[in-house]
Amino acid sequence: MKHFVLFFAALLIGVGNSRAEASENKVATATMFGYSNSFIFMENGVTFSVYPDGEFDFYIDNQLQVQAGVRLGAAAITFNSGYNYNPFVQYDDYGAVIQVQRVPVFYDFYGRVNRIGGVWISYRNNRVYRLGGMRVFYTPLGYYDYHIGYINPYNRIYAYRPFHRFFVRPALGYCMVYNHPYRRYYHPVRYTYHRPYRNNVRRAYAHVGKTYRYRPRTERARIYRNDHRVVARESVRNNRSNSTRTARSTQRQGNAARYSENTSGRSTRTVGKGRAVTQRERSNLRTSRAAQTGRTKVANRSSRVRAESGRNVRQSSRAGVDRADRGIVRNSRSKTRVSKVRSSERTEGRSRAVTQRTKRTPDRAARRSGRD
């Protein structure tokens, strides 16, 4: 019995060690050759690392430089690890990164990144469910299990790089994900990237979790608008028509401003395609719209008056025709009555003449016989 207990204990210990070794190998394999902690891909020369809850980190290739005469350590090469990417990054009022060089970054209502360049990101149960063309599946405990598909044709498989282990989550004070949809009415403007910015600092004008609306800031425009063109206005809706809708709205604003300038005759500067509309141009646009609305109302009123006058003329003409028809009918009826009366009178006169002739006939005969 004692030998049997010892054998059973040794068997249990061996199975436990084999399971632990298998799980460690599986974790190592997933870390080295797949997506385990984050989803890493490259977009337009920038390497992004997106975490399942919507946070992200990035690394710009060939941008490591000596800062303040001291070379940073090997771990400080990504944005969240502390490397200064301010000359290449645009920020919004919450301090969130909205563009890295020429790659725009969009967020949803809750501050989760939902688009990076041309890669769209969607969530299910507060975790990344779709990343480009790749679908991600998790275990019942919420850990990464496996994926199918690939992100895009340029990121078909995960390629491990030594600097990938330095990607980290943002610090607690810079975390943009919140359980309240605080970015529902916030639409920041991002500008084109032409050269590195100067005096660019990460400033948070609004607190994360507080509903805030975009307000144009001159100091920020002076720093970012180095090419005098607006790239896009952020849309917080989670659909793929946001970028197309934004471009169309910007083009409509430019066309409306040009039309108002031509109609008003004022010497205002031309608003090109993709340029922000000023307050004066908006007032001109409103004036032209009001004038056009007034002209439309006057035209509608005149058309209504004409239609009503035409109806009245038609009704009066119809009434005159009816009256004339009635008069003709009455005249015809009176004529027929008169003709009938006259014919009856004529017949009566003829009958009277005949009776008188018949009465006079025997007297004449008697007189003729007496003469004879």
Side-chain angles (χ1 to χ4, degrees):
M1 186 65 182
K2 186 184 294 183
H3 295 287
F4 179 75
V5 172
L6 293 175
F7 176 76
F8 186 71
L11 183 63
L12 291 177
I13 293 172
V15 170
N17 292 334
S18 63
R19 286 185 178 178
E21 184 178 359
S23 62
E24 288 177 359
N25 292 334
K26 184 178 179 180
V27 171
T29 302
T31 303
M32 296 295 294
F33 304 104
Y35 303 103
S36 59
N37 187 29
S38 63
F39 308 97
I40 301 173
F41 60 93
M42 183 176 291
E43 182 71 12
N44 198 9
V46 183
T47 304
F48 291 90
S49 174
V50 179
Y51 294 90
D53 62 345
E55 300 173 347
F56 74 98
D57 193 7
F58 65 88
Y59 161 75
I60 302 178
D61 299 340
N62 302 324
Q63 292 296 341
L64 293 179
Q65 301 173 358
V66 178
Q67 297 182 2
V70 179
R71 184 174 296 276
L72 297 176
I77 61 175
T78 65
F79 178 75
N80 291 335
S81 63
Y83 187 80
N84 183 16
Y85 284 109
N86 289 333
F88 316 101
V89 175
Q90 293 182 26
Y91 302 104
D92 64 357
D93 292 312
Y94 290 101
V97 177
I98 59 176
Q99 183 163 323
V100 181
Q101 287 186 342
R102 296 176 180 85
V103 182
V105 180
F106 298 85
Y107 298 88
D108 62 0
F109 295 161
Y110 301 91
R112 302 174 299 189
V113 58
N114 66 347
R115 179 188 167 191
I116 298 177
V119 179
W120 293 81
I121 305 170
S122 58
Y123 298 86
R124 179 180 292 181
N125 297 328
N126 297 325
R127 295 182 181 88
V128 173
Y129 170 69
R130 185 182 293 274
L131 186 69
M134 184 180 70
R135 294 175 60 184
V136 185
F137 298 90
Y138 301 89
T139 62
L141 298 178
Y143 297 100
Y144 168 82
D145 190 8
Y146 66 97
H147 69 274
I148 58 176
Y150 52 86
I151 297 176
N152 55 23
Y154 305 100
N155 298 269
R156 289 181 177 269
I157 58 175
Y158 170 70
Y160 174 75
R161 296 290 184 271
F163 64 87
H164 287 180
R165 65 180 182 271
F166 299 124
F167 284 120
V168 294
R169 293 175 179 268
L172 185 61
Y174 294 105
C175 181
M176 298 297 158
V177 180
Y178 199 75
N179 57 3
H180 176 71
Y182 67 96
R183 297 179 68 96
R184 178 177 296 177
Y185 306 105
Y186 184 70
H187 310 281
V189 175
R190 53 181 56 81
Y191 302 93
T192 55
Y193 175 80
H194 181 65
R195 59 181 178 270
Y197 307 115
R198 297 180 180 178
N199 302 322
N200 185 24
V201 182
R202 187 176 190 177
R203 297 193 182 105
Y205 297 98
H207 298 286
V208 176
K210 176 184 176 182
T211 303
Y212 188 77
R213 297 179 185 271
Y214 174 76
R215 296 177 183 176
R217 298 184 179 276
T218 57
E219 64 273 11
R220 181 163 293 176
R222 284 196 301 268
I223 296 173
Y224 295 144
R225 189 162 50 186
N226 52 14
D227 200 16
H228 301 285
R229 287 179 297 177
V230 177
V231 174
R233 182 178 291 275
E234 179 177 353
S235 180
V236 294
R237 296 182 180 178
N238 297 327
N239 50 22
R240 297 192 175 186
S241 61
N242 290 340
S243 58
T244 305
R245 197 174 299 173
T246 303
R248 289 178 180 176
S249 63
T250 308
Q251 186 176 3
R252 288 173 185 171
Q253 289 177 0
N255 295 335
R258 290 195 213 98
Y259 176 75
S260 63
E261 289 173 1
N262 294 331
T263 54
S264 61
R266 297 179 181 177
S267 58
T268 56
R269 64 181 183 86
T270 304
V271 179
K273 182 178 180 181
R275 182 176 292 181
V277 181
T278 60
Q279 190 69 22
R280 186 176 182 181
E281 291 160 355
R282 289 179 182 173
S283 62
N284 294 337
L285 179 59
R286 292 173 184 171
T287 305
S288 62
R289 286 181 179 176
Q292 188 176 2
T293 306
R295 294 194 202 98
T296 306
K297 290 182 179 179
V298 171
N300 294 335
R301 290 177 184 175
S302 61
S303 60
R304 290 177 184 174
V305 170
R306 290 175 184 173
E308 291 178 358
S309 62
R311 291 176 185 174
N312 295 333
V313 170
R314 292 175 185 173
Q315 292 178 359
S316 61
S317 61
R318 289 180 182 176
V321 171
D322 294 340
R323 291 175 184 174
D325 294 339
R326 291 176 185 175
I328 292 170
V329 172
R330 289 176 182 175
N331 294 333
S332 62
R333 288 180 182 176
S334 61
K335 288 180 180 180
T336 52
R337 288 178 183 176
V338 170
S339 60
K340 288 181 180 179
V341 170
R342 289 179 181 177
S343 61
S344 63
E345 289 179 353
R346 290 175 184 174
T347 52
E348 289 179 358
R350 291 176 183 175
S351 62
R352 288 176 184 174
V354 172
T355 52
Q356 288 178 359
R357 289 177 184 176
T358 53
K359 288 181 180 179
R360 292 174 182 175
T361 306
D363 294 339
R364 291 179 180 177
R367 290 174 183 175
R368 286 180 183 179
S369 63
R371 289 176 185 176
D372 295 336

